[in-house]
Amino acid sequence: MTTVSTSAVPSNAECRATLTDGRTLTITASRRPRANRADVKCTVPNAPAIAEHMQQVVRLARHTEPRLDSRDQLVLSMDITPSATERDWELAAVLADRMVRGLHPARPGMITTAQGHSDAWHTGRVIGAVRTTAPGDGEGTLQITHLGALLGHADPSAAISTVRTWFPLHSGGINDTLGWVEVSVFPLEAPAATEEDSIAVPGLDLTAQQEVKQTLTAARHFDGKGLSRWRSVVRFGQPRFQGGSYQLALVMADRLARGREFVPRGRIIASGCSSAWHAGRVDTVDGREPKLELIFNQVNSGDRVLLPKDWQDHLPHGFAAGLRQKGASLACIDKIGMI
C-alpha cells in the first residue's frame, strides 16, 4: 500500500462550492495537533447549526476510510454563510478534509470546486461533481456517485455492514412505538488508537453519545474480537428518548453487523440494559408491563423478541404462546452470546 509522507501532507487546503445565488463559497481546512481537543471543529459565520451539520458530514464521510488516525485536529471554516436549506457544499467539506490529510490529491496551484450532498455519507454514496483546474492540465470535471470514484476505487458501501434492531419507546401516550437503532461497521486496516474514537453517533447529545460509545466498547470486550477493528456509525430513528433500555437492541445490532450473531427471519425487538456489558450481562429495565403490551401489539411473523431474564416469571398469562401464534419467538436472557 502506498503511504503519504508527512512532508507531502499540506497544513491547509481549500475547496470551493457555488451557491444557488451564484456566490462562491470557500471551505478551508487546517490541521494541527489534537492535544485532547475534538477530532473535527467547524466554524460558519453566525450559523452554529450549519457548522454542526458540517462536522457531522465530515465525521460520517470518514467512516468509509480504511485507516483511522485521530492524532490531529481538523478545523474547517466557511468564508461566507450559505442558506440553511443549501446542502451542495457538503462534498466540498468532505474533499477539503481529505485534501488536508493527504487522502485526495491537491497540487500547488490546483483549484478544486465540488458540488454534491448525501443522506448517507457513512456509506460513501453521493451525487455530485468535482471540477479541478491546475496549471498545465487545464480543466477537468468528474461526475461521481460514490466517494471511491475519486480515486478510481469501488463503491465503499460494499464493505459496510448495516443492521437495524428495534426497542420499545414508552412514554405513556399515543406516541408509544417501536423505535429503531442502526449500526453500520466498516473494517479498519490498522487498529484504532481508542475504541471510542472509532464510533460516531450523529444526532444525539454529548451525554447520550458517550453512553452509546461506552456500551459498545464494553460489549465488544465481552466477545474478545471486536476491539480496534471497526469504524462504527450508530443512528437512531428517534433521537430524543430517555433511559438505557435501548442498550440490548444496540448491542445486538452491533453483534449482527460484525457477524457475531445469527440473523433472524424477521426483526430483533429487544429491551434491556446492563451495568456490566464487559461481562455480557443483561439487566432488567423499568416499564415492563406497558413495554410488553407494546411489543405484543406490534410484533410480526419471524420477529425475535429478547427480554431480560428477570421478566420471565412476570410475563402476562399467554404472552409467550401469543407470540408463537403470531409466528414470533421469545427468549428471556441474562447474558449475550447465548441467544
Side-chain angles (χ1 to χ4, degrees):
M1 175 176 288
T2 302
T3 58
V4 180
S5 66
T6 304
S7 60
V9 179
S11 57
N12 296 278
E14 292 183 354
C15 190
R16 300 176 181 179
T18 303
L19 302 179
T20 54
D21 61 7
R23 293 181 298 166
T24 298
L25 164 71
T26 300
I27 298 180
T28 302
S30 58
R31 183 169 42 84
R32 63 183 181 182
R34 185 168 178 180
N36 295 320
R37 294 181 287 236
D39 55 344
V40 179
K41 179 181 179 181
C42 297
T43 60
V44 179
N46 302 312
I50 296 178
E52 182 180 357
H53 180 65
M54 180 162 58
Q55 183 187 52
Q56 284 193 7
V57 165
V58 169
R59 283 176 169 167
L60 289 176
R62 289 183 177 188
H63 179 68
T64 59
E65 298 172 8
R67 291 180 178 272
L68 172 66
D69 187 346
S70 58
R71 292 174 296 178
D72 291 335
Q73 182 189 57
L74 269 293
V75 181
L76 289 94
S77 61
M78 293 182 177
D79 61 340
I80 58 177
T81 304
S83 69
T85 57
E86 284 198 71
R87 294 183 55 196
D88 269 354
W89 53 261
E90 291 179 7
L91 181 56
V94 171
L95 287 189
D97 174 61
R98 294 193 169 193
M99 289 160 64
V100 80
R101 291 183 293 129
L103 302 180
H104 184 76
R107 300 194 306 275
M110 176 184 288
I111 299 174
T112 302
T113 303
Q115 304 287 136
H117 69 276
S118 174
D119 293 322
W121 278 113
H122 62 288
T123 69
R125 293 176 181 170
V126 59
I127 301 299
V130 180
R131 186 176 74 252
T132 56
T133 304
D137 289 346
E139 182 176 298
T141 300
L142 175 66
Q143 302 285 337
I144 63 171
T145 58
H146 59 86
L147 291 175
L150 293 168
L151 298 174
H153 296 167
D155 187 343
S157 66
I160 295 174
S161 174
T162 298
V163 170
R164 183 177 291 186
T165 57
W166 280 258
F167 61 97
L169 276 171
H170 165 66
S171 61
I174 60 174
N175 294 321
D176 287 2
T177 186
L178 292 179
W180 56 261
V181 56
E182 181 183 272
V183 177
S184 300
V185 296
F186 183 93
L188 286 168
E189 290 183 358
T194 69
E195 191 72 7
E196 291 188 9
D197 272 349
S198 70
I199 301 171
V201 194
L204 268 60
D205 61 50
L206 292 178
T207 300
Q209 288 185 36
Q210 193 63 24
E211 182 180 89
V212 167
K213 292 180 179 183
Q214 290 174 350
T215 295
L216 286 187
T217 299
R220 290 175 181 180
H221 267 293
F222 170 73
D223 66 35
K225 294 185 177 181
L227 293 176
S228 303
R229 296 176 56 189
W230 309 94
R231 288 299 314 264
S232 308
V233 173
V234 181
R235 300 193 304 146
F236 286 85
Q238 171 54 264
R240 292 179 177 85
F241 55 85
Q242 294 181 340
S245 62
Y246 70 87
Q247 291 181 7
L248 179 57
L250 167 68
V251 169
M252 290 304 300
D254 181 61
R255 290 175 65 82
L256 282 163
R258 294 184 294 113
R260 302 292 290 164
E261 295 285 351
F262 292 106
V263 180
R265 288 189 298 116
R267 302 171 296 176
I268 280 187
I269 303 171
S271 186
C273 65
S274 180
S275 58
W277 280 118
H278 63 281
R281 193 178 76 204
V282 178
D283 297 333
T284 189
V285 292
D286 296 331
R288 182 181 68 245
E289 293 182 1
K291 288 178 179 177
L292 288 175
E293 181 180 1
L294 177 60
I295 290 172
F296 190 85
N297 290 336
Q298 298 201 20
V299 75
N300 297 320
S301 177
D303 289 348
R304 178 73 162 159
V305 179
L306 303 177
L307 303 173
K309 186 76 169 180
D310 290 347
W311 288 16
Q312 186 165 1
D313 294 335
H314 303 282
L315 296 176
H317 178 70
F319 181 83
L323 289 185
R324 287 195 298 270
Q325 189 173 8
K326 290 188 172 189
S329 60
L330 169 69
C332 295
I333 61 172
D334 57 7
K335 181 170 281 193
I336 58 174
M338 302 175 64
I339 299 172

